[in-house]
Amino acid sequence: MGDEVETSDFRRADFRAFEKTLRFETDLLYRWLKAGRVARDRMRVGAELEAWLVDAEGRPAARNKAFLDAMDDPLVVPELSKFNIEFNTPPAALSGRVLSRMEQALGESWARGRRVARDLGLDLAMIGILPTVTARDLCPQNLSRMTRYRALNEQIMRLRRDVPIHLDIEGEDSLHSVHTDIMLEAATTSFQIHLQVAPGKDARAYNASKVASAPMVAVAANSPFLFGRSLWAETRIPLFEQAVSVGKWDYMERVTFGIRYLEEGFYEVFKANRQRYPVILPIRFDAPPERLKHLRLHNGTIWRWTRALVGFEDDDTPHLRLEQRVVPSGPTVVDCIANAAFYYGLMHYLVERETTLEDDLPFYVARDNFYNAARHGLDASFEWREEEIAPIHRFLAHRFIPMAEAGLAMLGIDDGDIARYMGIIRGRVETGQTGAVWQRAYVAAHGASMADLTLAYLRRQNSGVPVHEWSV
């Protein structure tokens, strides 16, 4: 959850002071890691579900303040636009029936959210890109009231020297448009999966999360349409990358797959943050440097698809965790938890395997696999070793799903939970139906408008049935 800021009016002195403190906190984290002061013995998980408020016609409804006031829940918070909100799950130990408990907690919060929305004459939608969103919806007037978001918009455009953003996506159709703010980002909603990792295994975990990104996005794709155009299976990927592009050079783009694997650990990420990424929000916090407030705020303005995070235990011991950001929102709560289960199991298997991933998969291959999967979904070409190239659905069925099931078993996850959630992942692969596939099939079968598609999607979403069982 992003912290609020008090002002968007910054001066050069603010940037210099922030950069000095950022350097100190980055060095402090390095000393903590070298001294073994970071939590080691806990594996905890959590998630963030971004969603849309929609009206009776399935169009974006810019009323998140009224919704959030009525919810009055610290785990349900605003997002960039007035028609987006975010549901958070509390941290939980990765063992036993954690997945069932996550589904119950998120499901109860979602059900309450729908009741609150209905009282306002609205509904909720979890989907990567809402098919009915238009360029007119993505305007500064629909920015959430938080000063943080206004400041982000101003500072991104400052880095661009107010050069408009040229959106250019080639998929089944083509889309080219021009925008003068970062509100395109509001069209991209995701299910962000958190996993606490141990120092000493953080480099392997980070690299494993990069490798896992391609199978994750292929099996979870749910964003084929934008402004009425059929683009990528997960159009959210190029859309978000272009929405906050600073138009300079690849090493400082704010949304990126990255440029290499880690060699030693998370510290490399935070060092790169300080060296390569201009400060956007130079807020001065009245907090001791041991809270790493400046380091964490700066990290929160860099949206790598795999994000390294530093948090704190209840006793103020720092911990490391990963945030996997490639998965779109939806289609249902149970689909979201199945995506989390797949990630946790696959990650544990890949981190604990005897041979390192880097021996099997050079970074540039992992990167190409990711973008192929985002573009083509389950039909994407995937490379594991030079002699192993095939459609990714084959790797999912015969390699990655068994890996994830084995990883969950190694973690002591309940057998029933493994069968339930991995069965959903396997079901998508066997039927060939993800959210993206269903959306395209529905439009092809019915000649549906984006509004008709959205309302049909919501009817199925509200049934709670996982997407691979949806009828066209």
Side-chain angles (χ1 to χ4, degrees):
M1 292 181 272
D3 291 331
E4 176 60 310
V5 301
E6 294 182 357
T7 182
S8 62
D9 183 18
F10 305 126
R11 294 171 172 79
R12 288 184 179 180
D14 298 320
F15 287 94
R16 288 195 294 269
F18 188 97
E19 289 161 2
K20 180 179 179 180
T21 306
L22 176 64
R23 185 179 300 107
F24 183 87
E25 291 181 2
T26 305
D27 291 343
L28 179 61
L29 175 61
Y30 177 76
R31 294 196 296 273
W32 284 352
L33 288 165
K34 286 296 184 182
R37 290 190 54 194
V38 177
R40 297 179 169 273
D41 57 350
R42 304 182 74 178
M43 292 190 69
R44 292 191 301 175
V45 296
E48 306 168 42
L49 174 64
E50 298 172 344
W52 299 74
L53 285 166
V54 296
D55 63 19
E57 286 74 45
R59 288 190 39 76
R63 298 181 62 191
N64 68 356
K65 184 179 187 304
F67 174 84
L68 292 166
D69 287 346
M71 282 292 288
D72 191 25
D73 184 340
L75 293 178
V76 184
V77 297
E79 263 294 332
L80 177 66
S81 80
K82 293 178 182 177
F83 43 74
N84 294 140
I85 63 275
E86 177 183 285
F87 293 78
N88 290 267
T89 66
L94 185 54
S95 62
R97 301 197 65 218
V98 61
L99 298 169
S100 294
R101 291 193 295 272
M102 285 180 70
E103 182 185 356
Q104 180 179 359
L106 187 58
E108 289 175 353
S109 183
W110 183 260
R112 179 168 175 259
R114 287 200 66 221
R115 291 193 296 271
V116 168
R118 285 198 298 271
D119 289 342
L120 297 170
L122 306 175
D123 203 350
L124 295 177
M126 58 175 105
I127 188 169
I129 297 174
L130 190 70
T132 53
V133 71
T134 68
R136 290 189 301 275
D137 297 314
L138 302 174
C139 61
Q141 291 76 16
N142 282 336
L143 271 171
S144 283
R145 290 178 173 84
M146 290 179 70
T147 305
R148 173 190 178 93
Y149 296 128
R150 185 171 68 251
L152 280 172
N153 182 63
E154 292 171 358
Q155 293 302 312
I156 289 289
M157 297 312 295
R158 177 185 64 81
L159 288 177
R160 293 183 58 85
R161 298 186 179 180
D162 290 324
V163 174
I165 294 166
H166 289 260
L167 183 64
D168 185 356
I169 304 177
E170 297 288 340
E172 289 191 349
D173 300 328
S174 297
L175 177 62
H176 310 281
S177 58
V178 179
H179 304 262
T180 57
D181 51 64
I182 67 167
M183 276 293 285
L184 283 169
E185 180 190 339
T188 67
T189 48
S190 61
F191 180 66
Q192 296 157 17
I193 307 170
H194 289 242
L195 173 64
Q196 190 168 330
V197 299
K201 293 185 177 180
D202 48 330
R204 288 198 71 174
Y206 187 89
N207 298 344
S209 194
K210 296 285 189 185
V211 172
S213 296
M216 290 294 302
V217 78
V219 83
N222 196 28
S223 313
F225 292 106
L226 176 62
F227 303 158
R229 310 289 178 84
S230 180
L231 299 168
W232 290 22
E234 190 50 37
T235 304
R236 188 178 54 88
I237 300 301
L239 177 58
F240 195 6
E241 290 188 348
Q242 295 182 38
V244 293
S245 170
V246 294
K248 298 276 187 176
W249 54 309
D250 289 347
Y251 278 26
M252 60 183 287
E253 285 291 15
R254 309 303 283 208
V255 185
T256 174
F257 186 75
I259 58 173
R260 65 174 177 86
Y261 289 130
L262 297 187
E263 297 177 358
E264 297 180 3
F266 277 16
Y267 174 72
E268 296 168 70
V269 175
F270 294 104
K271 182 179 180 182
N273 287 356
R274 177 175 63 80
Q275 292 179 334
R276 295 210 319 261
Y277 291 93
V279 170
I280 289 180
L281 299 178
I283 305 298
R284 294 288 291 158
F285 292 103
D286 184 18
E290 289 77 15
R291 298 306 300 171
L292 304 182
K293 294 283 286 186
H294 303 81
L295 177 145
R296 296 166 74 195
L297 175 63
H298 185 52
N299 190 49
T301 66
I302 303 162
W303 298 274
R304 294 179 181 88
W305 292 115
T306 293
R307 180 187 267 170
L309 298 171
V310 179
F312 291 91
E313 305 288 303
D314 292 339
D315 64 359
D316 290 337
T317 301
H319 69 245
L320 306 178
R321 68 181 189 273
L322 285 169
E323 181 184 47
Q324 176 56 282
R325 303 174 56 84
V326 306
V327 176
S329 181
T332 65
V333 169
V334 72
D335 280 304
C336 291
I337 303 304
N339 292 334
F342 182 45
Y343 180 67
Y344 298 143
L346 183 57
M347 282 289 294
H348 192 70
Y349 185 93
L350 293 175
V351 170
E352 297 299 326
R353 72 199 296 258
E354 292 184 5
T355 58
T356 62
L357 289 164
E358 296 84 343
D359 295 335
D360 289 334
L361 206 69
F363 183 84
Y364 73 89
V365 177
R367 180 195 60 213
D368 290 349
N369 283 341
F370 169 65
Y371 287 107
N372 285 338
R375 183 185 291 270
H376 301 293
L378 291 174
D379 293 327
S381 175
F382 183 89
E383 180 177 339
W384 185 246
R385 299 183 180 92
E386 289 184 3
E387 70 274 13
E388 292 187 70
I389 303 174
I392 198 168
H393 63 79
R394 295 185 189 174
F395 282 93
L396 281 158
H398 302 299
R399 189 183 298 269
F400 293 125
I401 291 175
M403 284 180 176
E405 290 170 333
L408 291 170
M410 292 161 61
L411 286 163
I413 301 300
D414 177 80
D415 289 343
D417 276 11
I418 296 175
R420 171 173 167 76
Y421 298 109
M422 294 311 301
I424 290 171
I425 300 297
R426 195 176 292 278
R428 292 185 213 152
V429 174
E430 291 175 349
T431 63
Q433 182 159 288
T434 61
V437 170
W438 181 87
Q439 289 183 58
R440 282 173 166 162
Y442 189 87
V443 170
H446 300 280
S449 67
M450 292 296 99
D452 290 340
L453 168 64
T454 300
L455 294 176
Y457 179 98
L458 288 174
R459 288 193 295 272
R460 288 157 178 79
Q461 178 173 95
N462 293 336
S463 75
V465 174
V467 71
H468 71 278
E469 298 179 11
W470 288 9
S471 63
V472 174

